Structures are given as structure tokens and as C-alpha cells.
Amino acid sequence: MEEPQHRIRAAYSESTITVYQAYSPEIGLPAVRDGRFPTAWKRDRMTWIKPSFLWMMYRCGWGTKTGQETVLAVEISRDGFEWALRNACLSSYVRGVHPDRATWQRQLRRAPTRVQWDPERDLRLQPLPYRSLQLGLSGEAARRYADEWTVSIRDVTPLTHSLHARVSRGELDSAVRLLPQELPYPAGEEHLAHLLE
């Protein structure tokens, strides 16, 4: 079956969804230890969460980029995630989705969350012909994410390094078996209609 151009793919349960972020050890390790983001984590800054594990690997270079050495799997409530989708605006103007550029700019200024659709990645981190969601949280959304939605925070850096080593050796079949199982997320029309490019 052919993949749709835009789809949220994620590991999720009945009540939670897992998103990924990468931080320096100074932020990532206390977050894992305490199950919440430390005071060094700035709640007034935009933070981007990614339901796609391989897109996160592309972004952080398998946990090798400076300031992104600790890769976190953050389990958050689906209610929170869906609130973020409902209150999001596309991060760029799209003719046909927005009446005009000025309307989009007004929506963007008011929206606590923004959406980008970026090419999904394969195990070699090459772009695929369909897109996955990135969700930017600011203001109220970032505070809710850190203080209300977060259920657990796990350090998946060892998994990241193990996968990278297998991919580097060309052991793609064994690498695939280690990947988090991501399925199409059942986001209804009410969550995504205003966010499709």
C-alpha cells in the first residue's frame, strides 16, 4: 500500500504517544533521572518534538551532534498531543490552505504550536518520498508539554548507538528489528485538516 504524502507515524498506546528529542547530557540525563525536564530546560523557548524515530536520528546524527548527544523518548498524553495539533499552525505559508499570507502570519503569531512536514527517513537517513510531522511547541504548549503532558522520559541513546553501528556495518535487517514500532497515528480530520500542505 502506498504511503500518503502526509502522515503521523508514531509509537503509541491507548493513552500516550512517544515523541523524540535530543539534548546535551546536562539537560537529558537529569530529565531521565527525574522523569521531568530540569530547570535548565527553558519553558519560554520553542521546542520541537518528533514522533518519527528515524527523523530524530537524521536531526541529531545518531546522537553525535554537539548538544544532541542524549536522545530521549518522551511519552506524553495523547490528549496533550491532540490539543497541540488542534491549536497548531503550519510553519510556512501555503497557498490554498491559508486565505492569504497576512492571515497565515496572524495565525502563526497566535498559535502556541506549529507544524512542519519533513521528508521521512530510511535507515541510512536518506529522504523518503513522503513526509512526517515535526511539532514546535512554544509558550503555553511548551509549559503544558513539560509540566502536564509528560508521562515518562527514557534515555534511548544506547539504542541509537547500537542502531548506528549496525547500519554502519550494513546489518540493515538486524537494525530494522530494533527500531521502535511506529504505526499510522489515528489523528482525525478535526486534527489535521488545517495542517496539510
Side-chain angles (χ1 to χ4, degrees), residues 7-187:
R7 173 178 272 172
I8 300 171
R9 295 164 200 82
Y12 61 90
S13 70
E14 195 172 307
S15 60
T16 64
I17 178 171
T18 300
V19 296
Y20 300 94
Q21 295 193 290
Y23 289 103
S24 67
E26 292 77 23
I27 290 178
L29 296 179
V32 171
R33 182 191 65 223
D34 300 334
R36 56 180 287 121
F37 288 101
T39 52
W41 191 87
K42 304 294 185 214
R43 283 160 173 74
D44 55 351
R45 288 181 54 196
M46 173 81 71
T47 190
W48 289 88
I49 59 175
K50 300 144 186 83
S52 165
F53 180 81
L54 285 174
W55 207 95
M56 184 72 253
M57 295 307 97
Y58 166 72
R59 180 69 182 85
C60 72
W62 298 104
T64 62
K65 292 185 180 177
T66 302
Q68 298 186 57
E69 303 91 342
T70 307
V71 184
L72 304 180
V74 184
E75 194 177 7
I76 64 172
S77 73
R78 283 178 59 172
D79 287 345
F81 182 72
E82 291 170 11
W83 180 94
L85 291 177
R86 283 193 307 274
N87 289 281
C89 179
L90 283 170
S91 62
S92 56
Y93 169 71
V94 178
R95 186 191 308 262
V97 173
H98 306 105
D100 52 58
R101 192 172 291 276
T103 301
W104 164 73
Q105 288 173 330
R106 281 193 302 277
Q107 290 172 351
L108 192 64
R109 277 194 299 275
R110 286 194 309 264
T113 54
R114 45 186 77 171
V115 160
Q116 270 181 215
W117 293 99
D118 293 297
E120 180 58 286
R121 301 286 159 164
D122 65 14
L123 267 172
R124 295 192 188 277
L125 307 185
Q126 296 303 304
L128 292 167
Y130 48 87
R131 295 178 176 266
S132 282
L133 179 94
Q134 266 202 90
L135 194 56
L137 311 175
S138 65
E140 179 184 3
R143 289 189 297 276
R144 286 182 179 220
Y145 170 66
D147 301 327
E148 298 173 24
W149 304 342
T150 297
V151 174
S152 71
I153 302 175
R154 290 179 293 119
D155 185 352
V156 292
T157 310
L159 170 63
T160 296
H161 293 164
S162 177
L163 277 162
H164 187 208
R166 289 171 195 233
V167 171
S168 297
R169 293 191 302 261
E171 299 169 6
L172 300 188
D173 288 343
S174 73
V176 163
R177 289 193 291 274
L178 289 180
L179 284 174
Q181 186 179 15
E182 295 174 355
L183 300 170
Y185 184 79

